[in-house]
Amino acid sequence: MKLSGLLSRSNRELPGTSGLARVDRRTGDLLRRIGPGDIAVLDQVDLDRRTAEALVAAEVVGVVNASPSISGRFPNLGPEVLVAAGIPLVDDVGTAVLRVVKEGTKLRVHEGVVYAGDREVARGVEQTAERIADALIEAKAGMAAQLEAFSANTIEFLRRERTLILDGVGVPDVVVPIKDRQVLVVAGGTRHVDGLRRLRKYIREYRPVLIGVDIGADTLFACGFKPDVIVGDPDGIGTEALRAGSEVVVPAQTDGHAPGLERIQDLGIGAVTFPATGNAEDLALLLAEAHGATLVVTVGVQAGLREFLDRGHCGSNPSTFLTRLKLGARLVDGEAVAVLHRSRVSFGVIALLVLAAVVVMVAALWVSGVGQVYVDIAVDGVRALVDQVKGWFG
C-alpha cells in the first residue's frame, strides 16, 4: 500500500509549467539560445515588446524575470504580449535567481513560485491580463517624465550625430543601386511575416530594393525573396540569408567595434561597417535616404507612441524620432501600401488576347465559307468588347 502510494504520487503530474532553464543577464545573448519548451530566466526592467515577441517566436513555455516587467515609468508592451500568447510570466523574483538556477536545470513555475524539482528557488508575482491592464493604466502617468527625458536626450544625440542625421556623413557606400528607386525595409516587428506576404504584388510590380534588418533578412529569404542589402548583427541572422544577400552592412559602435563581423569573415562574405549609435532599423532607413531612394516602405518597423517609448524598440534612443523626421513624406508604412495597392493588369496584354481571339474567329469563319457579312459582325462585336475593357481600366 505504501509503495503503491509512493509510485502513484511520483507518477502524478505536478501542477504548473515545466521546461529547461535558459539563464542570462544579457537578454540579447539569451534570445540566441532559447528554443521550444525552454523557460527563459532573464533580468530586464520594463520588458519590451520586441523581446517578448522573440520569446513567443522561440516557443518558450515560461518566462522568469528577476526585475519588474512593468516598473511604472511608462506603459511598456512586453508583458501584455507574453500573457496574450498564454506564456506564464513570473515577475520580480530577485537577482539571486540568476545565480541559483543553472543553465539546463529543469524548472517548474506555478502560481508565482519557481521550483527546481521539489525545491523552491524563487518566488514572485505571476502576471495576469488583469494585473497588466491595471499596471499599464498607472504607468501612463509616467509618460510625461519619459517625454521630458527624451527631449533632453534628443538634443544631446543631435549634438553627437548631427552630421549623420543632417548631412549623411558616415553612411557607407553600397554596390546595390538605390538612387531613384523604391526601397522596402523589412524588420522583425509585429506581424512582419504577414505584412511582407501582403506586399507580394507590390514587390512584383515595382521591384523595390529589398533591405532586411536583423531577422527581417531571414523573413525575406524564407518568403522566397533575395535580400539586396542586409543591415544588422550577423550573429542573429541565419547563414543562408547572409549568403543570399547581395551586401551586408554591420552596425559598428563609436569605438569601431562591430559585433558579428568575425562571423561574416569566417563565412567569406563581404561586408561594410556603419559606425553610429542608432539601432539597425534607423541605420537601414538612413542608408536608403542617403542613397537617394524615392520612397521607403517599411514592414515590421513600428513608430506609434507606445512603441516609441517602449525601451526595446527605441526607448531613450532619439535616433528613431530624428530618422523619421529626416525621411519625412518618403517614409510609408507597409500596411498602408498593402491597402492602397491593387494589381493592375496591363491593357496591352488584354488587347493582345482579344486580337488573338479575333484572328482565330475570322480564320474559322472564312475557312468555313460563312461569308464576309458574318466576319464583319464578329469584328464589330470584338471592337465593342475592346471598348468596354478600355472603360474598365480608365
Side-chain angles (χ1 to χ4, degrees):
M1 290 291 293
K2 292 183 178 179
L3 179 59
S4 63
L6 288 172
L7 290 174
S8 175
R9 286 194 296 271
S10 64
N11 291 331
R12 188 168 53 221
E13 185 175 347
L14 294 172
T17 302
S18 299
L20 297 181
R22 301 298 174 208
V23 188
D24 208 310
R25 290 181 181 274
R26 294 167 297 187
T27 305
D29 292 342
L30 177 65
L31 294 177
R32 297 188 184 101
R33 302 200 315 273
I34 56 175
D38 290 341
I39 292 180
V41 182
L42 47 80
D43 182 12
Q44 184 169 329
V45 179
D46 294 324
L47 186 66
D48 62 277
R49 185 167 77 172
R50 182 60 56 82
T51 300
E53 288 171 347
L55 292 167
V56 172
E59 300 180 10
V60 301
V61 296
V63 177
V64 177
N65 193 354
S67 297
S69 294
I70 303 177
S71 70
R73 295 182 301 168
F74 59 94
N76 56 299
L77 309 174
E80 194 173 34
V81 171
L82 289 177
V83 172
I87 298 175
L89 170 60
V90 181
D91 210 24
D92 198 14
V93 301
T95 56
V97 70
L98 300 168
R99 301 190 303 272
V100 174
V101 177
K102 304 301 181 184
E103 182 83 2
T105 301
K106 186 172 183 180
L107 296 181
R108 178 172 61 92
V109 295
H110 178 58
E111 296 181 346
V113 182
V114 183
Y115 299 92
D118 294 330
R119 181 170 60 96
E120 178 181 322
V121 294
R123 179 182 291 266
V125 177
E126 183 166 348
Q127 293 288 0
T128 64
E130 292 76 16
R131 281 198 180 103
I132 291 171
D134 292 341
L136 291 179
I137 291 173
E138 294 179 3
K140 286 182 179 179
M143 292 181 67
Q146 286 293 112
L147 287 172
E148 289 177 5
F150 173 78
S151 300
N153 291 338
T154 300
I155 296 173
E156 179 60 29
F157 177 83
L158 195 54
R159 287 173 180 165
R160 295 196 313 267
E161 300 279 12
R162 62 181 179 275
T163 56
L164 169 63
I165 297 295
L166 299 179
D167 304 317
V169 175
V171 176
D173 293 329
V174 291
V175 176
V176 177
I178 295 178
K179 186 175 177 57
D180 298 327
R181 296 179 64 187
Q182 296 187 21
V183 172
L184 175 62
V185 177
V186 181
T190 306
R191 298 185 298 277
H192 71 287
V193 177
D194 291 337
L196 179 60
R197 288 171 178 163
R198 293 182 64 193
L199 290 174
R200 284 185 179 276
K201 292 180 181 178
Y202 161 76
I203 294 172
R204 285 198 299 267
E205 182 171 349
Y206 289 95
R207 303 290 181 183
V209 178
L210 301 178
I211 299 181
V213 180
D214 292 326
I215 64 171
D218 292 312
T219 301
L220 279 167
F221 182 77
C223 290
F225 300 109
K226 179 181 177 182
D228 294 304
V229 181
I230 295 174
V231 180
D233 182 353
D235 287 337
I237 303 172
T239 301
E240 291 182 332
L242 286 171
R243 292 188 184 278
S246 299
E247 193 155 12
V248 178
V249 178
V250 182
Q253 299 172 3
T254 53
D255 60 1
H257 175 64
L261 194 58
E262 293 181 0
R263 184 181 178 215
I264 286 290
Q265 294 169 345
D266 292 341
L267 292 173
I269 300 172
V272 295
T273 58
F274 193 159
T277 56
N279 59 42
E281 291 178 7
D282 300 338
L283 300 189
L285 297 178
L286 289 172
L287 187 75
E289 191 278 335
H291 288 288
T294 58
L295 187 73
V296 180
V297 180
T298 62
V299 172
V301 178
Q302 304 296 324
L305 180 59
R306 291 185 69 186
E307 293 88 353
F308 188 71
L309 292 175
D310 197 27
R311 172 187 171 190
H313 182 74
C314 52
S316 60
N317 190 345
S319 70
T320 299
F321 172 69
L322 294 172
T323 297
R324 280 151 181 73
L325 284 181
K326 176 71 172 177
L327 271 75
R330 280 183 287 179
L331 187 63
V332 181
D333 185 78
E335 290 292 327
V337 173
V339 170
L340 296 174
H341 180 265
R342 64 185 179 91
S343 179
R344 293 187 295 224
V345 181
S346 169
F347 176 75
V349 173
I350 294 179
L352 287 174
L353 292 174
V354 172
L355 180 61
V358 170
V359 172
V360 172
M361 187 182 298
V362 170
L365 291 172
W366 193 267
V367 171
S368 64
V370 173
Q372 184 65 38
V373 174
Y374 291 99
V375 172
D376 291 341
I377 293 173
V379 171
D380 289 341
V382 171
R383 283 175 179 167
L385 176 62
V386 170
D387 291 338
Q388 184 176 0
V389 172
K390 287 178 68 177
W392 292 345
F393 289 87

